[in-house]
Amino acid sequence: MIDQTASLDVEALRTAEYPWMANDPGVYLNAASVGPMPARAVAEAERWTQLRAQPHHISLTRMLDTAAAARRQFAALVGADAEEIALMPNTTYGLNLAARALPLRPGVILTFDGEFPSCVYPFQAMRSRGITLEFVPRKDGLPDEDTLVAAIARPDVVAVVVSWVQFASGFVADLARIGTACRERGVFFIVDGIQGCGVRPIDLHALPVDIFAAGAQKWLLSPWGTGFVYVRRGLIEQIEPHDVGWACMRASTDYTRLTDYAFDFLPDARRFEVVTLAYHDLAVANASTALLLELGVPHVAAHIERLGATIVDWVNSRADVELVTPVDPARRAGVVAFAPADPGPMGARLREARVVHVVREGAIRFSPHVYNTATELESVLRVLEG
């Protein structure tokens, strides 16, 4: 449960990092799609753009240090070690790593019905290996965790893949419960973490999670094309990378002798980094994740929870709107979704008032972040009331 006494100075944050919000007539409630970069990240992007125009001013050391800092900061956000972090361009790359490189025998992978497609298609593509993806039906519109946990005991189950936080409802999975059931049966546990990173605290070292993938373009307020995958330390050297490139080999750490070929992977999660890294974008991401670490994810989470409670209370006070998101604060994160009988009129009023939101699976989805205020939400609720 999030500490409700945690607080932060949102107005000071907006002044320093989001000054445009003071004059913008709208309200941005769509961090679950794209997180707006703070001013410090924008400044870092401009610095690196100037450097990239004259790349001889970017030393190899600076590039490698930028990547190393990204691994450290992503690790700090999720309770891992930098050696367990591989830099990835998005969540899907990390989930494909799990699908293609884990030593899975023929059998069944379980997932929730209603999952984001990144948790579906990479695993449906495994049919040629005798592996099928099976959906656990929803219960009352939400993931049925009880049925999932019971099904893990089946002898044909080889892995489970779920989102930590569901994209459409904000439902928070009990990773400890699911992971424990997996570990007891020798089943791999794979987690899509993108809708939870930066929203809720997590300690992956305290959880039985094997692979955890997250893009940074949403709640981590970073550029597109940045993200990471966590691979549990005890699993790293057991996995034979499916995709192989020059940068994941020990021999390639000496740039002066790249043709001294030796097929020997790096001993940590860097063995899964195949492509040339986006150093420019990673430098910008580092500025954003540094901000979240300075604020403290527990403080960020408590603020978002209070904003979410305001929306939930409003929805529950009305007979013409159905709450999609769980009422229990322990079971929801940044996403709050609600379904009017006809979302058209409410959606039109929101667009006219320049309230940035989306509709997902038939429901209006709000996703406030650390820069949003209670006053803004009150104004948005007045818009909804017409």
Side-chain angles (χ1 to χ4, degrees):
M1 189 71 175
I2 294 168
D3 178 10
Q4 290 292 338
T5 65
S7 62
L8 49 84
D9 190 338
V10 179
E11 291 300 336
L13 172 69
R14 286 165 66 99
T15 300
E17 300 292 350
Y18 294 96
W20 60 268
M21 290 186 175
N23 299 314
D24 194 287
V27 179
Y28 192 84
L29 295 177
N30 196 27
S33 294
V34 182
M37 297 195 309
R40 64 175 68 188
V42 174
E44 190 69 7
E46 292 171 352
R47 278 192 291 272
W48 271 77
T49 297
Q50 291 300 321
L51 286 169
R52 188 64 180 83
Q54 302 176 50
H56 53 288
H57 292 309
I58 308 175
S59 68
L60 176 61
T61 298
R62 182 168 188 169
M63 294 163 64
L64 297 179
D65 286 350
T66 296
R71 296 186 197 97
R72 286 195 305 272
Q73 290 180 199
F74 286 139
L77 284 168
V78 297
D81 296 328
E83 294 76 19
E84 297 170 301
I85 300 295
L87 299 175
M88 295 279 153
N90 53 41
T91 310
T92 302
Y93 266 74
L95 294 175
N96 269 279
L97 168 66
R100 301 174 72 184
L102 281 174
L104 297 173
R105 60 180 170 81
V108 170
I109 296 177
L110 297 174
T111 193
F112 291 127
D113 181 35
E115 276 288 357
F116 192 77
S118 291
C119 288
V120 175
Y121 297 135
F123 302 95
Q124 285 184 328
M126 302 173 71
R127 294 171 184 152
S128 62
R129 294 169 52 188
I131 297 172
T132 58
L133 184 69
E134 182 177 312
F135 296 97
V136 175
R138 282 173 274 195
K139 183 178 181 181
D140 299 325
L142 292 173
D144 186 349
E145 204 169 87
D146 292 339
T147 298
L148 173 70
V149 170
I152 291 170
R154 286 170 22 196
D156 61 339
V157 174
V158 297
V160 171
V161 55
V162 300
S163 293
W164 178 21
V165 178
Q166 292 287 320
F167 80 103
S169 67
F171 174 90
V172 176
D174 187 340
L175 300 186
R177 181 191 183 199
I178 299 171
T180 298
C182 288
R183 192 64 52 86
E184 289 172 350
R185 303 291 298 188
V187 170
F188 288 107
F189 187 29
I190 306 154
V191 177
D192 175 343
I194 191 170
Q195 295 290 3
C197 281
V199 183
R200 294 173 67 92
I202 189 170
D203 182 359
L204 286 174
H205 281 169
L207 293 168
V209 171
D210 293 307
I211 291 183
F212 180 101
Q217 76 273 18
K218 300 180 187 288
W219 301 95
L220 296 185
L221 311 174
S222 297
W224 291 288
T226 57
F228 68 95
V229 61
Y230 157 88
V231 182
R232 178 171 56 83
R233 183 181 294 277
L235 194 59
I236 291 172
E237 296 198 52
Q238 296 179 34
I239 298 178
E240 186 80 7
H242 185 278
D243 297 309
V244 178
W246 69 276
C248 58
M249 298 293 179
R250 291 179 194 257
S252 297
T253 58
D254 183 355
Y255 281 50
T256 68
R257 304 184 64 86
L258 291 174
T259 57
D260 288 351
Y261 310 117
F263 195 86
D264 184 17
F265 291 108
L266 288 162
D268 55 29
R270 289 177 298 161
R271 63 172 48 204
F272 307 116
E273 295 176 356
V274 176
V275 299
T276 298
L277 297 174
Y279 299 104
H280 181 296
D281 291 332
L282 287 171
V284 181
N286 288 346
S288 292
T289 54
L291 171 63
L292 293 171
L293 290 168
E294 289 170 17
L295 295 173
V297 174
H299 288 191
V300 174
H303 175 70
I304 293 172
E305 186 172 301
R306 285 190 290 270
L307 296 177
T310 299
I311 304 168
V312 168
D313 290 345
W314 178 84
V315 173
N316 285 337
S317 71
R318 298 181 64 90
D320 59 339
V321 182
E322 179 184 357
L323 183 66
V324 175
T325 299
V327 174
D328 182 359
R331 283 295 197 172
R332 67 171 188 261
V335 168
V336 181
F338 53 93
D342 178 5
M346 280 191 176
R349 289 197 293 272
L350 290 170
R351 289 190 295 274
E352 185 177 356
R354 300 186 185 181
V355 178
V356 182
H357 69 290
V358 294
V359 174
R360 292 290 183 266
E361 310 303 308
I364 292 173
R365 188 184 78 177
F366 288 166
S367 47
H369 206 339
V370 66
Y371 41 74
N372 290 117
T373 68
T375 301
E376 281 183 323
L377 274 188
E378 290 166 5
S379 70
V380 170
L381 297 181
R382 287 195 295 272
V383 169
L384 287 172
E385 291 170 354

